Every structure is written in structure tokens, then in C-alpha cells.
Amino acid sequence: MIKVDNVSKSFGENAVLKNISTTIKQGEVVAVIGPSGSGKSTFLRCLNLLEQPTAGDICINETMITSLKVNKLEIRKNIGMVFQHFHLFPHMTVLENVTYAPKKVKNMKKTEADEIGKSLIAKVGLTDKETAYPNRLSGGQKQRVAIARALAMEPDIMLFDEPTSALDPEMVKEVLDVMKDLADSGMTMVIVTHEMNFAKEVADRVLFLDNGMLVEEGKPESFFAKPQTVRAQNFLEKIL
Amino acid sequence: MNLDFSQIVPYIPFMLEGIWVTLKFVSASIVIGFIIGTLLALCKITKIPVLKVIADIYTSIFRGTPLILQLMIFYFAVPQLTGYDIEPFSSAILAFGLNSAAYVSEIIRAGIMAVDKGQTEAAQALGVPYKSMMVNIILPQAIKNILPALMNEFITLTKESAIVSVIGYLDIMRRAQIVGADIYRNFEPLLFAGVIYWLMVFVLTQLGKVVERRMRYSD
Ligand SMILES: Nc1ncnc2c1ncn2[C@@H]1O[C@H](COP(=O)(O)OP(=O)(O)O)[C@@H](O)[C@H]1O
Ligand SMILES: [Mg+2]
């Protein structure tokens, strides 16, 4: 469970998040949508402390992660993150990318890490690419490896920041399919996305951010059919 | 033209021995320079102001004064200050290693800055500790990018090593001067030394190309 309580974040004078509060339940899939620059990435990055909130608290499974005493590395072990631009390690093969963190961070033995890594790579459909370097992969393949890499740490929560925005259109589906499987398996997921159909289909709840504020949230059916706020109406009009 | 190489023939083994002597202290200096240079580069990119200032001052001093002066200071000042004599070899690798560290630190700093910030974030998001991230993820990528610049620094070091002859260290250059004084002809031994330096740099350059090609696997 993730409990976000009155979280604000400023970069200098620039208030990017303003008093965000919401609770994400175990196993829930939450889509975060909103205009560019509204603070979606910053919100996501606060959840694994890539950004430190300026005010407010975030609680993950009873741990107050915004407390100053907390060990960020410990928190992050339990939260996977997938980036728009993949950020695979270019000097490591696909298998090495996936097994690096379990070996380094969890001190897992190579044989065990390889076993888990291979099964995850198979799960995202890339067994034939195990020994390839990232530069030999298409965008969709890279993103699937990035998902496998995050899953290799066996996290409770997965964060996705526009995972399909950098992909050619024909590769979007293969990545969304992997994410859908993950959602079906009961993973807690927070997904920043512009794929409204995916959000409709897979998300349990939609958060609409505008100008750093959580303007509206609701079930995808009702949110997309009948948004309550003018700002959400305007946003959906523009993109649909 | 008045050239006579026959007179230096008996001295050739003596001069060739200088290759080993030069190589020994150049490679020691490279290792020292690389290790300290890497540490300095890490100091330069930390958020800890004290380390940053120390590294910047260090770099400024070693780049801002002549290498020959640093060499002589180590050679002459150390005995005067500490009462211990210092071997020409030790003072040479100290001066060259510490001097090279200043240049190498700038090269590595630039190389680290050029690595995509996303690499750091991906590592952090996985919970990878800072040291492992640097050693396993950032530095390998940085060093691959800066290999040509590093190679250049090593070549410069090899050539500039000739100034250790001023403290009497028996490197190639010093040997050429000794032979010159012995046979009352300077031009031939100097020319011979020049050929040796050129060959050493040539080999180093080729070596660099091989390493670069090896590291290009992931492009
Ligand atoms: N590290 C940073 N330093 C300063 N400003 C930032 C930083 N990260 C994001 N911002 C600013 O915060 C605002 C929201 O950015 P972001 O969270 O990336 O929005 P979104 O993901 O919704 O497009 C933008 O105005 C952006 O310029
Ligand atoms: Mg964003």
C-alpha cells in the first residue's frame, strides 16, 4: 500500500507538486494522466525517492519513506521503475542487465540470478536475445528488457513513466501486453501514460494531474465517460 | 654532411637499456596518475564542497606550474625538508604521477559527466549502492568514451618523461647526453634517442587502437 499525504515538491521557486494526497492499495493499477509539465514524472519519482518531496509524507507498507532516517536504497529495492527511454546498461548483455541488481544488491548467487533472469526474459518473450547487447534491440525489445530488469528485484510495486512514449507505433502493443500480464498477476502498478485506451482497459483508477495538482481521480469508466472537472474535460477533449 | 653513426655502435646496448628504465617509471607514473586521477574526478563530481575544492586546488597547482619545476622540487626539497634522501626514480614517479593525475582527473570528470544521467537513475532505482554504480556502470562507459584522450595523455607522459634527465635519472635522454659527452658528438646519439622515443609512441598508439576496437563491442 502507498499512502501519499499532502505531498508537495518545489524546484527552487517552481512549485511542481501541490498538496497531493491519495492512497494506492495493494494490487491496484493506477494510471496517472495529465498535460505535459503537470508534474506526473515528478510525482512518480517521489514515490521511489529519486526526488525528495519538499513537504508531506509518503508511507509504503507501513514505512514512512519520507522520514530522514530512511535508507533510500532499501526502499528502492522494493520498487521497480521503468523509464521512457529505457536506460538499459549499454555495456552489458540482456541477461547481465537483468541479473546485475539481484547479484549486486541482493548478493544473489550467479546461478540463482541467471535462473530468475532467464525465466523473466522468457516471460517478456526475448529468450533468443539473452546474449545480445542493448544496441542490437528494437525499442519495444529494450523496454521489455527494462521491465524484466526491474522485476528481477522482485519488487512489490512497479512504477512506469511513459513506457511507450519513445516507441514506434508498431511496438507499443508488445510492451503494453507485458504490462497487462503484470497487472493481471496482481502487481501494484503506477503508470504515467498517454495511452488512454490502455488506461481504460487495465487501470483500476485514474489520477488526473494538472499544474501540479491532483485535480480529479476516479474509476476509468466514469472518468473517461464523464469527467467531473472542466480541466479534465478540456484535457480529454484535446487528446481524444 | 658530417654524420658518423659508427662511433655510437658500442654504446647502443647502453642506450637501449634506457628503454626499460624509461618504461619502468612511465608505467608506474601512469598507474599512479590513473588511480589518483580517478579519485580526484570522483571528488570533483560529489556534492561535498570540501572535496570539490581540494580536488580543484590540486588540479590548478599541478596544471599551473611547469612539470620540470615540480620534478626538481620533489628531488631537492624533500631531502631538505625531511632529511631523507629521495631516489631519482621515486621523485620522478611522484612528480609525473601526481602531475598526470591532475590531467587525468579532468579527462575522467568530463567522461563521467558525458554518461547519460538516465544510467545513474536506472541504477539508483534498482537500489544499487553508489560505489558499485560508479565501478560497474558509470566508469566503464566513461572510460570507453575518453579512451582516445587518455591515450593522448599517456603518450604525452612518455615523451615528456625525457625531462627526468635533469635530476640525473638514467633514462633514454640522459644516456644520449652521456654518450654525446663521451664521444664529443651530440647529434648522432640524440637522433638515435629520437628514433627510440618515436618507436615507443608508435607502439603505444597502436596498442591504444587495439584496446579501443576491443571496447567497441556494444556500439
Ligand atoms: N530536476 C528538476 N529541476 C527543476 N525543474 C524540474 C525538474 N524536474 C522537473 N522540473 C519541472 O517540473 C515541472 C513538471 O515536470 P514533470 O514532472 O517532468 O512533468 P510531466 O512528467 O507531467 O511532463 C516542469 O515544469 C519541469 O520543468
Ligand atoms: Mg514526464
Side-chain angles (χ1 to χ4, degrees), chain B residues 40 44 51-61 106 109:
Chain B
L40 283 172
K44 287 176 185 178
L51 293 179
K52 216 180 280 188
V53 169
I54 291 174
D56 283 343
I57 291 175
Y58 179 102
T59 306
S60 168
I61 290 174
E106 276 302 295
R109 187 191 60 83

Side-chain angles (χ1 to χ4, degrees), chain A residues 19-34:
Chain A
N19 303 307
I20 307 258
S21 294
T22 188
T23 300
I24 297 165
K25 293 197 290 283
Q26 178 81 38
E28 198 178 12
V29 177
V30 172
V32 180
I33 65 172

Side-chain angles (χ1 to χ4, degrees), chain A residues 45 50 73 76 79 83 87-92 100-101 104-105 133 135-136 149 153, chain B residues 116 118-119 121-129 132-133 136-137 140-141 217-219:
Chain A
R45 293 159 59 84
L50 281 184
L73 296 181
R76 289 176 187 148
I79 308 175
F83 302 86
H87 301 326
L88 294 180
F89 306 132
H91 58 303
M92 298 184 189
Y100 174 74
K104 219 27 164 208
V105 180
Y133 285 95
N135 64 315
R136 294 269 167 261
R149 177 176 71 177
M153 288 297 288
Chain B
D116 182 6
Q119 294 290 306
E121 300 202 333
Q124 286 176 340
L126 287 164
V128 178
S132 306
M133 173 179 88
N136 303 134
I137 293 167
Q141 294 182 57
Y217 51 79
S218 56
D219 285 347

